[in-house]
Amino acid sequence: MQSCLSRKRRSRIGLATLGAVAVYCALPDCVEAQGPGQPPQVAIQNARIVTVSGHVFNNGTIVMEDGLITAVGGNVQLPEGAWVIDGEGLTVYPGLVDAMSTVGLPASLRLPEGGSRGGGGAEGQEPAPHSWGPEDRPATFSWLNAADELTLEDERIEMWRSAGFTSVLATPERGLFPGRSAFINLYGERPRDMVVNTPIALRINWEGGPGHRGFPGSLFGGISYVKQTFLDAGHYDQAWRIYNNSPTGITRPEYDRALEPLREAMNVGRYVMLPGTWGYEVQRAVTIGEQMGVNTLIYGAHGGYEVADELAEKSIPVLLNVNWPEPPENGDPDAEPALRVLRFRDRAPTTPGVFEDAGVQFAFYSGGASPSDLMANVRKSIALGLSQEAAVRAFTLSPAELFGVSDRLGSLDVGKIANLTVTDGDLFAHETSVKMVFVDGVRFEVDVEGAEQMGGGSGEAAEEEEPEEPEEVAPPVPMTVDRGPIDPSDVTVVQNATILTVTQGTIENGSILIRNGKIAEVGTDISVPRGAKVIDATGKYVMPGIIDEHSHIATDAINEGSVAVSSMVDINDVLNPTDRSIYGAVAGGVTSASILHGSANPIGGQKAMIKMRWGEDADGMRFENAAPGLKFALGENVKRDRDPDRYPATRMGTMDVIRQAFLDAQEYKEEWDEYNALSERERRNVIPPRRDLKLEPLVSVMDGSMMAHIHAYRADETLQMIRLAEEFGFTIATLIHVLEGYKIADEIAEHGAGGSTFSDWWSYKMEAYDAIPYNAALMTERGVLSCINSDSDEEMRHLNQEAAKTMKWGGMSEEEALKLVTINPARMLRIDDRVGSIEVGKDADLVIYTNHPLSVYSRVEQTLIDGQVYFDREHDRMLREQLAQEKETLLQKERGGKGERPRVTTDDQGKEVSQ
């Protein structure tokens, strides 16, 4: 067997083309091709050899035979007859690895460069059929294996090899499930000769990419589909296990090529690659991976500097995109990026160093950068704290370890594949060039006329020109602490205030004692504990934190409008804790909000109940143990014309969609009830029903464990929905907008639904034509639990004034008006045991106003959540100055200290002219 293998390797060496040269030649510009009869032993001596696995030999020798490393060290005996390369002045590294790449793959499996990642068809391809739901398996190609799709026609193979890269993880990138990756070497006479190991990992995207149409049409739609598909894979595996264990009397499961790779990945612990760029997106991917029970490998992670400790604690490895974010090349010179974007661009290059310090396992990938830009970006990270040793490792042994091939490459050790990168200096030095590479022992010399050099530039022109000076790297601009509790304290006393308890009257010159986030005492005779923080509220008013029953802030997706029923999507999956609207809400006295799906379809998605804990991550913002809810919608929005047409197109069609969904959910529940009624012994030979993420929330609505929130305007359709709810045995929690609620207030009260309405919006569209500003007052008068919502990130900042309008439009009392934005929405949302009034034992969510909160002259002075101050007006004034200075410093840094960016216009001939 060994002799056959040796003959094969000798043949490959002898026939090497595309830049292969005779290995016996000592000069780097030798171009003579190696002949098939020449000895297979090759040695480089007198070189600096960086093994990466532990040793660096400053005057070492490395010997290769038949494509493998046979000796390496400082005192190696040269084999007789070996072809020897004089390595004086050269450094030998393990061949570099791009840890995620499309090199070697056809264009059909790649995303277009700089093109759209979704929408119409890709160039030269017809758009995919419209997807009407998860059952259509949209943008799913999980059965594809990169190893089966390789092509030698990809010109990038030679380009990256000339830059010192000998291997890549070839990864298809189109679709939600693009396929499985393969670890390949960048040389082979045939595509299959390139494969080192496969399959390696399964890549996931949250969007369908070019050519995809229909479901999923949103971020949380993509996430829900991925979750459902992994659930299906688990069920598929369970079905086959039960069948194979005792096939008699059991219908054979149907083979599914889309689920087989997922089943295999879950069973063997193969990596599932999940995307995340910003820090909170990385956290999101980690959470979703945990929910699916997969072995998570994060890719992207520009914002990893924010979450490194969490990744290290959970032992989550990362493929780090080294194509650092930069300002748009041809951006609008008048456009001013948000501070969070400037910070992100400034700090992304620090991520590798932060990862190294935290102990996160990571490997580099190019992410669309050219070889020279890639190396320049790594040099930037080294200047910002990454060690050179960790940088080399991230291109060599780390990816080999991650992908299970460290026993055959990634370091220069005896017995491993002879993948070598030979340079004329330190790998990341600005002036260093790659002189030659070995792939499977085959030598390739860099084409000096066409190859990108590590130090930047390419070809002979780069040699003739004066070398550029390396870019000076400035440290990150210090970040202003602009979020989180201000001067946190476990014990706080708010003194000398007029306290509007909402449920227990008004207390003049009162105080509130707060311990560990809870209201401990309320009254006029409260002593201040030693060491307590004291807030003097003399002449000011304190009320419970405002609760917005209907909001769409703090989320990266609002609608999954591609389907009529999207109950499988969940706002909790797409919370964005960096949304500045959160701080704006806190500044307006809002402490909690129900974040709802939009109104694009009859049955929308699941809601998230949050507290405005500005500075916390998504998990930290969630309102603990709050009841879940599901959004429904009636009226104009759901029946609008779409392309392609989507049922329903009428109001009666809307009711049909909702009724049929509940009928399906009833049948689904019956299947599970029948299965759960079986004994444990009986279940051994029965395949359980398939879990359905679309129907499970509807079952929960019917059994009362999940609230139903209904977007409705007109009285007739509101009554229809009440009757439908009673038909299926559940009570509607809130009727949202319900602008004609005053017409059917008795019926709403009898049913037990709450009415969450606007203060004074009317006639802004046809179904709002009969709206009146007396709606809240009239519903309240007839016994409907009513509240005022915002449905707006701007209006939520003055919900106190929106509530005050009901005193003019309807003659409500001060206490009734305050209840509309405090205890009433708390009761609707089933959180009134925690918030909504100032009572002992409740969460210390409080707002301090300069005047009575129902006055137009009143302003929020401070907002407390869980007893901690999250907004303080005086602190905010100081903060604005600091943030403005930080932003200006960041802008100057991006401009290179040159002030304003030059304006670029065009002359009469269309040529660019800088001004």
Side-chain angles (χ1 to χ4, degrees), residues 494 497-501 505-512 522-523 541-542 838:
V494 181
T498 300
I499 302 173
L500 308 172
T501 68
T506 299
I507 302 173
E508 300 290 346
N509 197 32
S511 298
I512 304 171
V522 183
Y541 289 74
V542 181
I838 298 177

Side-chain angles (χ1 to χ4, degrees), residues 67-360:
L68 300 176
I69 298 171
T70 56
V72 60
N75 190 22
V76 172
Q77 184 71 35
L78 290 176
E80 187 176 348
W83 295 354
V84 179
I85 297 173
D86 183 3
E88 185 174 355
L90 301 179
T91 301
V92 182
Y93 294 94
L96 306 185
V97 179
D98 188 341
M100 190 170 75
S101 172
T102 58
V103 169
L105 294 176
S108 60
L109 300 184
R110 310 195 304 254
L111 290 170
E113 291 185 15
S116 170
R117 302 179 74 87
E123 185 177 351
Q125 289 188 334
E126 289 293 321
H130 192 91
S131 168
W132 292 106
E135 61 278 2
D136 287 345
R137 293 276 171 78
T140 299
F141 314 102
S142 50
W143 58 87
L144 289 178
N145 188 327
D148 299 326
E149 309 295 330
L150 297 173
T151 173
L152 298 178
E153 303 302 315
D154 188 351
E155 296 178 353
R156 298 174 302 162
I157 294 175
E158 184 173 357
M159 181 184 78
W160 282 92
R161 190 173 58 213
S162 297
F165 286 81
T166 61
S167 308
V168 302
L169 186 73
T171 310
E173 57 182 1
R174 284 182 181 269
L176 294 154
F177 288 89
R180 293 168 290 173
S181 56
F183 195 99
I184 66 170
N185 281 344
L186 296 184
Y187 170 68
E189 294 177 17
R190 300 161 297 184
R192 66 188 187 194
D193 294 334
M194 302 165 69
V195 178
V196 176
N197 197 16
T198 193
I200 297 294
L202 184 70
R203 173 171 168 164
I204 303 295
N205 296 319
W206 300 137
E207 51 189 14
H212 170 70
R213 299 185 302 152
F215 178 84
S218 64
L219 175 61
F220 53 11
I223 291 171
S224 73
Y225 174 65
V226 171
K227 286 184 176 181
Q228 182 65 70
T229 307
F230 271 101
L231 280 176
D232 289 347
H235 179 262
Y236 177 76
D237 181 63
Q238 185 181 15
W240 274 107
R241 288 178 186 274
I242 292 172
Y243 177 77
N244 289 333
N245 183 58
S246 181
T248 305
I250 301 177
T251 302
R252 182 177 71 255
E254 182 179 343
Y255 171 79
D256 192 321
R257 68 172 182 171
L259 297 182
E260 279 289 344
L262 277 66
R263 173 193 183 192
E264 185 262 355
M266 296 171 74
N267 285 338
V268 305
R270 198 174 305 287
Y271 278 128
V272 175
M273 302 160 66
L274 300 178
T277 300
W278 293 78
Y280 77 92
E281 292 177 327
V282 173
Q283 290 176 313
R284 172 188 294 160
V286 171
T287 298
I288 292 170
E290 290 171 345
Q291 292 171 348
M292 297 190 302
V294 300
N295 192 13
T296 300
L297 174 61
I298 300 296
Y299 70 90
H302 281 158
Y305 58 89
E306 296 180 315
V307 293
D309 290 339
E310 179 180 335
L311 292 170
E313 181 182 347
K314 295 185 175 183
S315 300
I316 303 291
V318 176
L319 303 185
L320 184 52
N321 182 356
V322 196
N323 192 7
W324 303 132
E326 294 181 347
E329 187 173 345
N330 297 307
D332 181 355
D334 293 327
E336 194 169 279
L339 177 60
R340 68 186 287 262
V341 173
L342 291 169
R343 287 173 167 175
F344 179 65
R345 295 200 293 236
D346 187 41
R347 291 187 172 264
T350 69
T351 296
V354 175
F355 277 0
E356 181 185 7
D357 292 342
V360 177

